[in-house]
Amino acid sequence: MIWLTWRQFRVQTLVAAIALVLIAAYLVYLGMDIRDAHDAYRARCASRPADCPSALAQFRSDHESTLLFLAAGLQLIPIVIGTFWGAPLIARELETGTHRLVWNQSVTRRRWLAVKLAFVALAGAALTGAASALLTWAARPFDETTGDRFSRIMFGARDIAPVGYAVLAFALGTVVGLLLRRTLPAMAVTGVAFIVLQFAFPNMVRPHLIAPEKATLPMTAQAINGAQNMGSITGGAVIHGLAVPGSPGAWVSGISPFRTADGRTLSGARFDECLNSPQRTGADGKFGDTAVCLARLNLHVDVAYQPKSRYWAFQGLETAAYLLLAGLLTAFGLWRIRHRVS
């Protein structure tokens, strides 16, 4: 049975091996380039401390777009595995009727499915895990310097989480193929379903895997100038991209609107007044006079955040959740093929 599965899957294995070699070659080159740039950044900071902020900004801008693109590309690998490896695995056999030949031999249905699932799932996990390990190694100086390990795209392309994604995508594709019994519809449904899952889990589930820490941050001019942006499409008195003092690299999962000293939300009209027509003070900083205007109102925000020390806890919990879902799908598939597929 293992030999038969290998014979059926050898072309995909060869393509995956060639792709992995090409990925490895590029990521080794990129990793060395990032390390050279990181050494130059540290040397510039050591010789001219005043230049550290600009040196960090240059280091970040030189590599951020490339690493974001690679992280997004790595998250496509599980989709490819689920769509092109998982969905056709059983659907093609049922569609063409070749499953009857195996079932008329000494191999049981469950063993037939279990061997296929184990062989291809291990191949998918190995491919994704190797690509993830290479990208994690290449990006390590950048991740340690910028502290962006919790960002939605970066988190899903580092360390062990991608392995869980790959195994779940494959199990999902296999079960969808088993249910639909047609290859092309199964591939389409698998691709769409896993893309939805990749969007929903980081936004709706990940923030609640561990109860966040909470803090109240006074909105001084300096704190406001450290944010990424302010305002919203609906005109809310909100601020985004704050850092938590004393907890560098923390993942800020929630920020309240601006609140006054008595705990009320700052009115949209007062916020717009500072945003659009603040008193001219000649203040510098990212938001300049707007930051000074808001700081005079004695505002604060309540934040929920995860310290960076919880990074591996989140990696483990998310990977375990995906593997558990994959296990449940596998169990359903083994039951289905025994009792419902003729």
Side-chain angles (χ1 to χ4, degrees):
M1 198 52 227
I2 295 176
W3 173 250
L4 176 61
T5 303
W6 158 249
R7 292 279 297 176
Q8 292 177 322
F9 195 68
R10 64 187 186 277
V11 174
Q12 293 94 320
T13 303
L14 179 60
V15 171
I18 294 172
L20 182 58
V21 169
L22 295 175
I23 291 171
Y26 176 73
L27 288 178
V28 168
Y29 164 78
L30 178 65
M32 299 306 296
D33 184 50
I34 290 176
R35 280 158 174 76
D36 289 342
H38 185 251
D39 290 342
Y41 151 69
R42 294 181 62 184
R44 183 177 170 186
C45 278
S47 62
R48 288 176 291 178
D51 287 349
C52 268
S54 61
L56 175 60
Q58 182 65 45
F59 174 66
R60 183 166 191 156
S61 65
D62 286 346
H63 300 287
E64 186 171 31
S65 297
T66 300
L67 290 174
L68 281 172
F69 177 79
L70 290 172
L74 180 63
Q75 292 188 54
L76 290 176
I77 294 179
I79 298 175
V80 171
I81 289 173
T83 303
F84 292 94
W85 291 11
L89 188 72
I90 306 302
R92 184 177 290 120
E93 300 266 16
L94 298 176
E95 193 172 24
T96 59
T98 54
H99 63 289
R100 297 189 184 94
L101 177 63
V102 180
W103 291 358
N104 285 324
Q105 309 301 317
S106 60
V107 178
T108 65
R109 297 182 183 190
R110 286 183 176 177
R111 182 185 173 192
W112 174 73
L113 179 58
V115 171
K116 281 179 170 288
L117 286 172
F119 185 92
V120 184
L122 286 174
L127 170 65
T128 310
S132 173
L134 286 163
L135 180 56
T136 301
W137 170 83
R140 182 171 291 117
F142 182 89
D143 292 342
E144 291 176 351
T145 302
T146 60
D148 284 344
R149 303 179 79 193
F150 273 112
S151 72
R152 286 181 173 85
I153 296 179
M154 298 294 192
F155 183 91
R158 302 286 195 271
D159 298 303
I160 61 174
V163 175
Y165 303 164
V167 174
L168 176 58
F170 173 70
L172 176 65
T174 302
V175 170
V176 170
L178 182 61
L179 293 173
L180 298 183
R181 306 176 69 139
R182 294 291 183 270
T183 301
L184 291 180
M187 293 172 69
V189 170
T190 299
V192 172
F194 197 75
I195 289 173
V196 171
L197 183 64
Q198 280 188 313
F199 175 81
F201 196 99
N203 291 282
M204 301 173 65
V205 179
R206 186 185 297 163
H208 307 290
L209 290 175
I210 301 176
E213 300 286 335
K214 297 185 182 297
T216 297
L217 305 183
M219 288 292 95
T220 63
Q222 181 180 2
I224 293 171
N225 282 322
Q228 292 181 2
N229 54 74
M230 286 193 297
S232 67
I233 297 176
T234 58
V238 294
I239 190 168
H240 307 280
L242 288 173
V244 180
S247 187
W251 169 30
V252 178
S253 56
I255 305 177
S256 73
F258 284 110
R259 301 196 190 282
T260 57
D262 58 3
R264 297 181 180 180
T265 299
L266 181 67
S267 68
R270 190 70 183 89
F271 175 72
D272 289 340
E273 182 181 337
C274 281
L275 189 65
N276 299 321
S277 54
Q279 181 181 355
R280 301 302 176 186
T281 64
D284 56 4
K286 185 173 184 178
F287 297 105
D289 294 330
T290 294
V292 173
C293 178
L294 291 170
R296 288 172 175 169
L297 301 178
N298 192 23
L299 302 173
H300 67 272
V301 295
D302 299 318
V303 301
Y305 69 97
Q306 301 288 352
K308 70 174 183 179
S309 59
R310 295 180 180 177
Y311 172 80
W312 278 107
F314 273 91
Q315 280 275 325
L317 287 171
E318 186 156 331
T319 303
Y322 275 73
L323 292 177
L324 176 61
L325 288 173
L328 292 174
L329 286 171
T330 299
F332 171 77
L334 292 171
W335 172 85
R336 176 83 182 187
I337 204 167
R338 177 66 180 84
H339 297 283
R340 300 292 181 180
V341 179
S342 60

